[in-house]
Amino acid sequence: MDIATRVYNHKWKIDPIVRSLIDTDFYKLLMCQSVFRNKPDTQVTFSFINRSDKVPLARLIDEGELREQLDHIRSLSLSRGESTWLRGNTFYGKRQMFRPDFMEWFENLRLPPYHLERKGDQYELTFEGSWPEVMLWEIPALAVLMELRSRAVLNDMGRFELQVLYARAMTKVWEKIEQLRQIDGLGIADFGTRRRHSFLWQDWCVQAMMEGLGGSFTGTSNCLIAMRREVEAIGTNAHELPMVYSALAKDDKALAQAPYDVLSDWHEEHDGNLRIILPDTYGTEGFLQNAPDWLAGWTGIRIDSGDPATAAEIAIRWWQDRGEDPTEKRVIFSDGLDVNKIAELHKQFSGRVKASFGWGTLLTNDFRGLVPDDRLAPFSVVCKAVSANGRPTVKLSDNPEKAMGPKDEIARYKRVFGVGAQERIDVIV
Amino acid sequence: MDIATRVYNHKWKIDPIVRSLIDTDFYKLLMCQSVFRNKPDTQVTFSFINRSDKVPLARLIDEGELREQLDHIRSLSLSRGESTWLRGNTFYGKRQMFRPDFMEWFENLRLPPYHLERKGDQYELTFEGSWPEVMLWEIPALAVLMELRSRAVLNDMGRFELQVLYARAMTKVWEKIEQLRQIDGLGIADFGTRRRHSFLWQDWCVQAMMEGLGGSFTGTSNCLIAMRREVEAIGTNAHELPMVYSALAKDDKALAQAPYDVLSDWHEEHDGNLRIILPDTYGTEGFLQNAPDWLAGWTGIRIDSGDPATAAEIAIRWWQDRGEDPTEKRVIFSDGLDVNKIAELHKQFSGRVKASFGWGTLLTNDFRGLVPDDRLAPFSVVCKAVSANGRPTVKLSDNPEKAMGPKDEIARYKRVFGVGAQERIDVIV
């Protein structure tokens, strides 16, 4: 190692986990642009939630270190090269995906303050402010907490023990890739930024997918890695749009309409492969039943909760009912995937629809079984909008385990969206 | 990476496998000093022999590349730091193990010419000249052929495929170390230079043993690695001494005496833990029966062929017959070891003798099962003295599969040393 590099590295007070504002999911930037255009003044609160009580984050992670990492993120701004890439690159076959007014705003952005407090063995971490700013905290906040937890566990391991740990993890990923290679016509992307073991590990996984899967690897949701590794940046939209739009709805009628308003705004901005319906925020079945006809003309659907095969069958029937040809439609599976599930879904749906896969936590954080007491196993954390302009948000999804929001509001949403009994499915990651 | 390092690396025409004259086994240097003192003018021929016909070395390895590697070794001389280490270090608790006259000779040494010829799918590689010079070819010649074979197989693998290959190999070694860690009172050294997968790999294995086994890891036979990693250099003597002494014997009576002459010379030069009998060159049983009494006073025995438990039991009985206490004696197992064998021998002999282990090929080259067709599996090569002053050498050992020499000479040696029926044992490595 050269002396200059070493001295340079010594200058860091910390080893920063998130080193770039585009070390985030591509759909965050797409949604951010949409929010910047359509709802720039909405005031939101985002909150970090550890769904896994068994992982005592406040005992594992030093509060000072966590603050240093979060403060470091607040010091970041878009670099010239990153800005050039966002402005000049082709995303989903389209040039100038990000408009000049948005880019100018983004170039001047620093992330807003955070609020951190220890509550027992957990941290309460919240972000308040204007929606387009606060929303960009989600991914880096999750990545920091996940990686600090990894570091806490790795901290008391020897150098060769560490090397062997990573050797085992690499072997595990590679064996999965070798299995995936057997699947004809597979299309799969990395969706694992938010709950990754670490940045370097996600970067390794992406490169392994590139070499191991060739053309079957369609890209990564992580913008920084997409830029560096010269692969496609992948992603469309997420639950936060219907959640905030719905919270802002002034009455039940407006609430029932809100999720379609989201897609109506999206429809004006995007076409082609970016027109992907995320139908499960308040129950897939009702959402599709009540959807306007123009939505059936969209390119596809993303299935992110509940039993994926059931949801895909519902979508296929819905397209058929609306006179659409399902074989022309894209179905993106993105919830709790691992190799066997991917193989099974591909077998069931390839040919019937254009199936593809957004593989998340069990790609970038499958350290299960690699250390005693499974202290590196992934766990379920989220960072969600909990209120908008002072009104609470609600998420139901197709799995009651994933429901969020105040009880009375959940009841109201269930009534408005006509959600009946739902199957409970354990949330692993 | 800094530019200077990169430019410097580009200056190499080749990527040299052996980069130092002390990238060799410690016992080679001890024996070399003994030969330098006692038989400096003996003319010998050493010959490389691939016992594994199934590995077509001449088809795998380009002759030009092989010549470049061998030529590079001929360009090496002892560096100042290496010389300082040999002169100043403590070996087996002794300062100035290497005497000034030997060091002066060694500092001026370049290895003598080699003779290389392709014969079908194999290479004929021989070295002729004075014994102390030619003998130093053995280890680097083997290391070069082993590593060029590894490189030939690795050559058509992708970058991540390679990383995963090494990840798997590391995991394999580490799992062995974890098993060995369970054995109370274990003493084990690396003896894997000659048939290692590569230099870097051996260096990794040694470091993993250091971290994983702590004090149970007693050192490495490789001088360069011992110097760099600051561990003990381990080794005493090998078959080449009795083989050459025996070839030089003028009649059957002198022949029967030759193996004892070797140890008599050794007795004068070394004491303590360096007085280790290697009894199997012409059959362990006869060797011990006919041994002079002073040999029973030596510190221990090294078991390098045949069934190791049988040989150890023979040694124990021999010490008892000669009035020695076996619990005070060291028994070093060094033939074809892997973890299960080590555990089994340790269980059978710890407490009864001071058992220790010289772990070779299945430490530094266990790539079995890691690539298709097992093309990286270790294979059995040797580089041996085949003649001395124009007379053929013979080795019998305790396994007829390892016998070497002209048929009529083998018969003569069997008669002179009273070797009867022997159990045939497959030679894996």
Side-chain angles (χ1 to χ4, degrees), chain B residues 30 34 86 130 207 216 232 239 325 327 359 371 402 411-412:
Chain B
L30 280 188
S34 177
L86 287 173
S130 82
Q207 292 176 79
S216 295
E232 295 296 320
H239 300 106
D325 177 4
T327 65
W359 193 12
V371 296
K402 283 186 164 183
R412 178 180 157 237

Side-chain angles (χ1 to χ4, degrees), chain B residues 128-139:
Chain B
E128 278 183 55
S130 82
W131 190 9
E133 294 184 357
V134 165
M135 66 188 294
L136 293 180
W137 262 116
E138 177 183 351
I139 310 297

Side-chain angles (χ1 to χ4, degrees), chain B residues 214-282:
Chain B
S216 295
F217 177 61
T218 55
T220 171
S221 63
N222 187 294
C223 297
L224 184 63
I225 295 175
M227 180 178 82
R228 290 208 186 143
R229 303 299 165 200
E230 302 186 7
V231 293
E232 295 296 320
I234 302 282
T236 55
N237 56 63
H239 300 106
E240 84 176 88
L241 295 179
M243 284 169 73
V244 173
Y245 273 58
S246 297
L248 297 176
K250 60 182 192 309
D251 55 30
D252 287 359
K253 192 167 165 258
L255 174 58
Q257 188 54 32
Y260 306 111
D261 293 343
V262 169
L263 300 185
S264 168
D265 284 350
W266 199 262
H267 194 88
E268 278 175 42
E269 293 174 70
H270 301 295
D271 48 26
N273 285 328
L274 285 169
R275 287 188 177 166
I276 300 293
I277 307 166
L278 180 66
D280 68 326
T281 315
Y282 305 117

